[in-house]
Amino acid sequence: MNVVYKGSHCLRHDKIKSGKDGFLVKNFVFSYNSTIFAADFCTIMKKTSIFRSARLVLMALTGFFLASCGEERFHVEGSISGATDSVLYFENMSLEGPVIVDSVRLSSDGSFSFSDKCPEAPEFYRLRIAGQIINLSADSTETVSIKADYPTMATGYEVEGSDNCKRIKELSLSQIELTQKAMAVERDPNLNVSQVRDSIMALVDAYKKAVIKNYIFADPKAASSYFALFQTLGDFLIFNPRTNNDDIRVFAAVATSWDTFYPHALRGENLHNIALEGMRTQRIQQSKMAQSIDPKKVTTTGLIDFSLTDNHGNQRSLSQLNGKVVLLDFHLFAMDESPKRILMLRELYNKYHGRGLEIYQVSLDADEHFWKQKTAALPWISVRDEDGAQSSRLSIYNVRSIPEFFLIDRNNTLVSRSSQIDDLEKAIEALL
């Protein structure tokens, strides 16, 4: 149901077994072609039932998004030389797989022009001639220009008019380079199986760090960040929230950003579902190892949960507050505006706490003693994140400045963040 952008090389998975880090290489067998193609995320995670549920609402939501956009359209145009009489397909990479939007038989000059109704949130498309594919994204009414030569269009094309499409090209070429390096490692006669595995894992780790820094965390709301999440090495996700806790945080960071900029977008909801399913899987695995928790009792909520120590030495998590309306507040007591903000929060707490409001305030102050002094008289939940500005929780919730706050409903589902709220009291009243 989710889009997976596979790489240009195919790693035969019959020679690979799953391991704790996602995959274990026994004997790599690579085959190569120059195609960058897209496939359904369900082909990799077939047994994840949470991804099937969105199929029931896909057509209704798609109709809503398109209808709300009126007749505004985006355009994809350009030329592909060396492909006379070839059929060029323009396809939407929907969550259900490729859908042909339009096609044209190219003339000797290779020119083409396609358009589609503008999306409410970034959407993904591709140009395809046979097995040669160029991945694109569309946002609003932009015009994307493509110039390429056949049969090397998948790797040698030029793109103008869209920064996201340029970044998608960079990511695609980097993915090809990663796969070529992995192939070279596999063919090295001086390495044993263990050394091959370790070398390829080191390549993947370095690739992920670069993509996280330069693309995903640099602009988590971008279409290119979404694209990066579903890149693969052969048949395996490079970012896999089912096997890696750090990857859950990366998915969650993009999901939270999409919630802010593209509220109710189906792709954003699916990112949350993937992150939450990853958390559930990780908890089940941990419980099995510890043999202390029945996996059937492991549940998920509509937010990314975390637990921190409060100013009384107790562990406090967001999931413990199920049944209450929660104001999740990221705060710095050392800032000049803190006293005024604390006064505002105290007024809200006094007014609405009796009706079910709770405040879960996360301090990012470096001085623990200072924080305890400042929170000693506060009636709400006060916790401190000792990682401060480097905290992974800031990345998960896409917190770019302090202070920042979010509202969570009684079902423990994250509803909105500060930029989406015009009147905080009205927003709280609506949830109570």
Side-chain angles (χ1 to χ4, degrees), residues 56-265:
L56 300 177
V57 297
L58 174 64
M59 295 183 65
L61 287 177
T62 301
F64 170 79
F65 290 148
L66 293 177
S68 66
C69 200
E71 291 303 315
E72 292 185 335
R73 305 180 74 85
F74 70 91
H75 302 270
V76 179
E77 58 189 28
S79 63
I80 300 176
S81 61
T84 303
D85 290 331
S86 297
V87 177
L88 174 64
Y89 293 94
F90 179 50
E91 298 172 326
N92 171 222
M93 297 310 301
S94 75
L95 293 176
E96 292 293 316
V99 177
I100 296 176
V101 178
D102 202 353
S103 64
V104 63
R105 188 173 295 276
L106 296 176
S107 62
S108 58
D109 67 0
S111 62
F112 64 89
S113 180
F114 298 119
S115 69
D116 198 10
K117 292 181 180 179
C118 69
E120 288 290 326
E123 191 51 68
F124 298 91
Y125 295 82
R126 69 181 187 181
L127 297 172
R128 178 176 63 85
I129 299 178
Q132 290 287 306
I133 291 170
I134 295 174
N135 287 308
L136 306 168
S137 70
D139 187 1
S140 71
T141 57
E142 62 194 349
T143 296
V144 181
S145 299
I146 299 292
K147 184 177 181 181
D149 298 315
Y150 189 79
T152 60
M153 58 181 271
T155 56
Y157 67 95
E158 299 177 9
V159 57
E160 297 294 338
S162 169
D163 290 338
N164 267 307
C165 288
K166 289 181 179 180
R167 288 193 289 266
I168 286 174
K169 177 185 177 182
E170 293 170 358
L171 286 163
S172 298
L173 295 180
S174 296
Q175 181 187 22
I176 291 174
E177 183 181 3
L178 170 65
T179 311
Q180 290 173 337
K181 289 179 179 179
M183 292 170 64
V185 169
E186 189 273 333
R187 291 194 297 260
D188 191 336
N190 298 315
L191 299 178
N192 59 34
V193 172
S194 178
Q195 290 171 326
V196 168
R197 178 197 62 205
D198 293 344
S199 297
I200 290 181
M201 290 306 301
L203 287 173
V204 171
D205 288 344
Y207 181 85
K208 290 169 68 173
K209 289 178 181 178
V211 170
I212 289 172
K213 177 183 177 181
N214 298 325
Y215 294 92
I216 297 177
F217 283 176
D219 190 3
K221 73 179 184 301
S224 53
S225 296
Y226 186 104
F227 180 92
L229 292 178
F230 297 102
Q231 288 191 300
T232 61
L233 179 61
D235 288 335
F236 293 89
L237 286 167
I238 293 173
F239 292 95
N240 191 343
R242 298 198 74 187
T243 60
N244 189 306
N245 277 323
D246 291 335
D247 292 350
I248 294 174
R249 298 186 182 100
V250 176
F251 267 80
V254 178
T256 303
S257 187
W258 276 54
D259 282 348
T260 301
F261 292 94
Y262 319 113
H264 311 302

Side-chain angles (χ1 to χ4, degrees), residues 18 27 30 33 48 58 86 92 96 117 142 145-146 176 274 284 294 299 302 310 372 424:
S18 296
N27 180 21
F30 289 93
N33 62 64
T48 305
L58 174 64
S86 297
N92 171 222
E96 292 293 316
K117 292 181 180 179
E142 62 194 349
S145 299
I146 299 292
I176 291 174
I274 294 170
I284 289 174
D294 180 353
T299 60
D310 69 12
K372 286 185 175 181
L424 180 55

Side-chain angles (χ1 to χ4, degrees), residues 341-352:
R341 179 174 176 76
I342 292 299
L343 180 61
M344 180 272 291
L345 292 176
R346 187 181 287 274
E347 291 175 353
L348 285 175
Y349 186 87
N350 290 340
K351 185 174 182 179
Y352 295 111

Side-chain angles (χ1 to χ4, degrees), residues 69 135 326 408 415 422:
C69 200
N135 287 308
V326 179
I408 299 167
V415 175
D422 294 326

